[in-house]
Amino acid sequence: MNDRPLTLMAVHAHPDDEATGTGGVLARYAAEGIRTVLVTCTDGGCGDGPGGVKPGDPGHDPAAVALMRRQELEASCNILKVSHLETLGYADSGMMGWAANDAPGSFWQTPVEKGAARIVELLRRYQPDVVVTYDENGFYGHPDHIQANRITMAALAMTTQTPKVYWTTAPRSMMQRFGEVMREFGADWQEPDPAEAAAMAEIGLPDEEITTWVDTTEFGGQKFDALAAHASQGENIFFLKMGQKRFTELMGVETFVRVQDTTGAAVPENDLFAGLR
């Protein structure tokens, strides 16, 4: 008999990503006795500094921001009851097209095989039954999210392990509703230009293409509090403006696409561990 506990591993790009896309499943499965492992690839140094100072502006110190965000990440993990936090410590690459993309040591500049080798070591150490990361476009085109997908999928191909593998996504129906909520809560919300609107329309997937719908409503408070733990980035975290009740109503179901499976569990499914227990 194998006494190793069932294990979920989530591979994310930055501090706070764990709460937005997978805070509910991390909290839910921890409560169910499943071991949860969070891998955070970058230091988040391209986030806002104290007082909301932006990257590139006078007074923005990426090292100080990274230290602050590490503390916030640890607080978030404590709220979500994450069993193990692993940080790879790559420099935040910033948004696509930023000068930080080309900085030596940035995650975006890291050879995929080198990043994958580090994930391989973690896969061998924790032997996860389920691995969650982003899709090939990093959900919305962020370079660090794309790179997280690349190194995770490359690592999985380099091992003999066969966990269930999922990519985070959002149903198009929810994305439409999200736009309505943004208009409701964001007084300064500006309608995107046609090109931006077309790009936003491509985020997520049609509802019928989503394989996995996990109800995490019971853990909406933990998810909201974990996101709020990243207080330094509060200006950029729109969801916090909703308040916990409305946040849970909108974000109480987390959705995924199953891209690797050996269990034969039928889809659509409502449990990342369907077929494993």
Side-chain angles (χ1 to χ4, degrees):
M1 292 289 292
N2 186 351
D3 293 330
R4 179 184 58 80
L6 282 173
T7 300
L8 166 66
M9 176 181 285
V11 182
H12 282 291
H14 312 98
D16 77 28
D17 290 332
E18 81 289 340
T20 305
T22 57
V25 293
L26 287 169
R28 170 180 163 167
Y29 290 121
E32 293 179 6
I34 288 172
R35 180 173 62 169
T36 53
V37 180
L38 171 63
V39 182
T40 302
C41 296
T42 80
D43 61 10
C46 285
D48 287 358
V53 62
K54 303 298 182 184
D57 287 350
H60 187 276
D61 180 353
V65 171
L67 176 61
M68 176 175 59
R69 298 197 71 185
R70 170 59 189 247
Q71 295 168 343
E72 293 174 341
L73 177 62
E74 291 173 352
S76 172
C77 286
N78 184 56
I79 292 166
L80 297 173
K81 309 301 182 187
V82 170
S83 308
H84 300 275
L85 170 63
E86 298 285 348
T87 56
L88 302 188
Y90 290 111
D92 190 338
S93 309
M95 300 297 287
M96 191 67 80
W98 287 16
N101 296 174
D102 301 319
S106 73
F107 190 36
W108 187 237
Q109 289 299 312
T110 299
V112 169
E113 62 272 16
K114 288 189 175 181
R118 299 184 66 185
I119 298 294
V120 166
E121 193 277 327
L122 296 175
L123 290 172
R124 289 174 175 160
R125 182 190 310 170
Y126 292 108
Q127 300 179 53
D129 302 279
V130 172
V131 174
V132 175
T133 191
Y134 313 102
D135 63 22
E136 293 163 313
N137 190 46
F139 185 60
Y140 68 101
H142 193 296
D144 288 332
H145 291 224
I146 294 170
Q147 189 76 326
N149 166 276
R150 290 174 177 173
I151 70 168
T152 302
M153 300 310 293
L156 289 162
M158 293 163 62
T159 71
T160 58
Q161 293 177 250
T162 55
K164 295 179 78 176
V165 180
Y166 293 87
W167 292 345
T168 58
T169 190
R172 293 267 170 83
S173 60
M174 190 276 280
M175 295 303 295
Q176 181 178 4
R177 185 179 171 204
F178 177 62
E180 296 168 357
V181 173
M182 287 190 76
R183 284 187 287 273
E184 177 184 345
F185 283 90
D188 57 351
W189 167 252
Q190 300 293 321
E191 289 291 339
D193 64 33
E196 289 177 333
M200 289 176 65
E202 293 303 312
I203 293 176
L205 288 172
D207 292 29
E208 63 271 17
E209 293 182 20
I210 292 172
T211 64
T212 312
W213 305 69
V214 183
D215 185 353
T216 62
T217 305
E218 182 181 346
F219 304 93
Q222 278 176 265
K223 181 172 177 173
F224 183 87
D225 290 346
L227 200 56
H230 297 279
S232 68
Q233 309 306 305
E235 182 180 332
N236 302 319
I237 303 176
F238 169 79
F239 302 107
L240 296 175
K241 298 178 182 178
M242 301 178 185
Q244 181 179 309
K245 183 176 183 295
R246 192 63 186 276
F247 172 86
T248 300
E249 291 173 357
L250 185 68
M251 306 288 286
V253 175
E254 293 181 348
T255 52
F256 307 85
V257 174
R258 194 173 80 190
V259 295
Q260 181 173 305
D261 174 62
T262 58
T263 69
V267 293
E269 59 187 1
N270 60 11
D271 179 8
L272 296 178
F273 288 85
L276 292 169
R277 55 179 178 171

